[in-house]
Amino acid sequence: MKETLHIYTRVSSVSQEEEGTSLETQLELGIERSKKLGMKHKTWNEGGQSSSKDDLGNRPVLVNLLKGIDDGDVKHLYVWNTDRLSRNMNTWGMIRFKLIKNEITLHTPTGKQILSDPQTNLMLGIMSEISQYDNKLRTERFRLGRIHRIKQGFWKGGPPPYGYKLIDSSLVPHEEEKKWVSFIYENYKDGKSLDEIRTLLLNNGVVTRRGNPVWSHGSISKLLTNTHYEGFYTYTDKKSNETIRVPCPPIVSPTIILEVKKWRDKRSYGKDDSRRTKTSNEKYNYLLRDFLICGHCGSRFGGNHKKTQTSYYYCSQKQKNFQNTHTEKYTVCESKRNIRIDVTDELVWDTVLDIVSKSHLFMESVKSELVENDKSYGKTKDELKKLQLKVNKIDKEIKDVTDSIINLETIKILGQRDKDEVEKIIKNLEEHRLKLSGKKEKTILSMSEEEKNQKWVDWVKEFGDRIGEMKKSDFKFEEKKKFLEGVVEKIVVKNTDVQEHELKIEFRLPYVGDKLVWNDEEKKSKGYILKNGKRSKVLRVNLLKKSLT
Ligand SMILES: [Zn+2]
């Protein structure tokens, strides 16, 4: 393909009169040159422009030509003399820089021009250093600007997390997605596995952000560890390693978050949900699995439910060993035997029920809760309402402070007020906002305490007056489990040398063998005191035999 000689012509008011420099002459000589070189030609005619201000501002044709050079469309350029391009030193320097950088051959009537000389090379070197420096500066300004905006509560960039949308660059709850976030949390809290949650989502036609109807374990698991729903997220600036804690609107209640955290710790030993995804029998609901802890190695217990054969609880260390045999996590667990699920469930249920129903402490707490019941229930509810109002008020205040900061930023940029003065105010406001965030977190924490209180009241209401009938009637499995959660902390399992197991049931309160001591045995009207019992009960039994009796 034939190359093109780009002919740039211009007359300046000063040199216009010069012999042989009219536009026509310039063009004619240019075309002649192109023929000699065996090239096509293209004309770029600037015409006559006032050169009183010789920069690119009044040279639209040259600007276009330079763009062609940058784009790689122009390789050969012809001018009458280099003055045509610019008389101005700075502009000429810039043009020459472009020509050399893009390896343009510059032709004049006297032949090809050599643009690079040692001095020019030095200048090019410096210019490229400066442009790199400029780029770095721009990146740095961009980085600082971004950190500043994040500190003001704006989203860090990228798509918002599931459950949120962006309005004016801030995270705002997404009404539809928010519902499903709560749904996932609630179900996980209620003991559903990731698999089960996935199925529930599928059945409800809930799609992921990418429109996928099948949620991955990873994405559900990630959602359950996402701090946004709690009301904040952190951003770490890679360069300074500074971590910023940014508040955002919470969408899951603190109580549920705390419970999910507890569950997550319970369910995972080592890797995320490894037990639950690996066992095929995870759908079976175990009464005691989550209470059992191995007295030899401290691991949680797993359950192995079989429909036709005997089912066992076992120290999960066995699985762990299998996974970690060659890692430093490898420890030997001395527990040798599993324990039968049926026998253990029955024994623990009977024992706990017996101890709790005989406990004066338990009765006392039920009595006082029931006496206070409506009053304290109402109090808790009122308290919760009050705390929620407080959170709302703080939120409003945070928003106002943020608005003021943004306002002041604008004022600073526009230079409407003294910069130092404005910055000082902004700094104060930012400190104030930080304090507000702290206050908000504290309030949310006391809300979760209050909610826990309320749950205890609910629990007592549900079981307190039924403790007598519990022994007789067949209790629903879920109710049994709920009852145990209210009184039992954990159960430590050991096997002894003989054919025996040791079960240590640890209670939440010292219920075991507590005593009621009358101040005066003769005059009961003088009242009594409660003597605390023990917190734990140790049982030694063979948990491999079919029945205890
Ligand atoms: Zn163990």
Side-chain angles (χ1 to χ4, degrees), residues 162-292:
Y162 189 85
Y164 293 93
K165 58 187 173 183
L166 289 175
I167 290 183
D168 296 334
S169 303
S170 298
L171 291 180
V172 174
H174 184 294
E175 284 313 315
E176 180 65 17
E177 289 180 358
K178 178 181 141 183
K179 256 171 41 193
W180 296 111
V181 172
S182 297
F183 179 85
I184 292 169
Y185 269 78
E186 292 273 358
N187 276 289
Y188 190 80
K189 185 205 80 184
D190 291 341
K192 294 271 190 328
S193 70
L194 296 184
D195 242 11
E196 287 165 322
I197 293 174
R198 170 156 72 181
T199 310
L200 287 170
L201 291 171
L202 194 64
N203 291 344
N204 280 288
V206 186
V207 294
T208 65
R209 265 290 169 72
R210 291 185 178 170
N212 195 339
V214 181
W215 288 65
S216 69
H217 277 188
S219 54
I220 299 173
S221 189
K222 204 175 149 231
L223 211 135
L224 288 165
T225 53
N226 211 336
T227 63
H228 296 84
Y229 310 134
E230 250 175 271
F232 75 93
Y233 75 93
T234 54
Y235 174 83
T236 303
D237 176 49
K238 284 192 192 105
K239 196 174 172 196
S240 63
N241 237 341
E242 182 192 4
T243 295
I244 310 162
R245 195 185 155 102
V246 193
C248 64
I251 58 183
V252 178
S253 106
T255 331
I256 292 179
I257 297 226
L258 285 178
E259 287 213 34
V260 162
K261 275 186 187 165
K262 217 173 75 193
W263 261 102
R264 228 171 34 221
D265 294 345
K266 262 192 184 178
R267 289 187 191 182
S268 60
Y269 58 87
K271 281 211 174 119
D272 240 356
D273 271 280
S274 50
R275 176 179 61 196
R276 297 184 66 85
T277 49
K278 270 179 184 133
T279 51
S280 53
N281 55 321
E282 62 188 83
K283 284 215 170 82
Y284 185 77
N285 204 346
Y286 298 98
L287 182 67
L288 300 178
R289 187 189 64 188
D290 298 323
F291 292 102
L292 297 173

Side-chain angles (χ1 to χ4, degrees), residues 376-436:
S376 84
Y377 196 69
K379 218 166 70 192
T380 315
K381 271 194 170 163
D382 278 355
E383 193 58 32
L384 267 173
K385 227 185 262 168
K386 243 166 52 194
L387 289 168
Q388 184 59 55
L389 282 175
K390 198 170 159 194
V391 170
N392 294 350
K393 216 179 118 201
I394 296 172
D395 271 342
K396 166 91 176 44
E397 214 175 317
I398 288 178
K399 196 189 160 287
D400 288 347
V401 172
T402 305
D403 286 348
S404 309
I405 292 174
I406 296 167
N407 239 337
L408 284 163
E409 285 293 330
T410 318
I411 287 171
K412 196 177 90 184
I413 290 165
L414 295 177
Q416 286 170 342
R417 267 175 78 176
D418 179 62
K419 198 177 142 216
D420 291 343
E421 194 186 322
V422 176
E423 269 171 3
K424 221 160 126 192
I425 305 172
I426 290 178
K427 207 174 147 237
N428 282 338
L429 284 173
E430 279 175 343
E431 269 167 27
H432 181 56
R433 190 172 55 184
L434 210 63
K435 269 186 209 146
L436 284 172

Side-chain angles (χ1 to χ4, degrees), residues 534-546:
K534 285 190 296 177
R535 241 173 214 276
S536 60
K537 171 83 181 169
V538 178
L539 304 168
R540 276 179 219 279
V541 274
N542 184 337
L543 291 170
L544 286 169
K545 275 204 256 170
K546 269 189 193 162

Side-chain angles (χ1 to χ4, degrees), residues 294-301 315-318 332-335:
C294 176
H296 299 278
C297 69
S299 293
R300 302 236 161 228
F301 263 59
C315 167
S316 61
Q317 177 75 12
K318 277 179 191 168
V332 183
C333 174
E334 289 165 28
S335 92

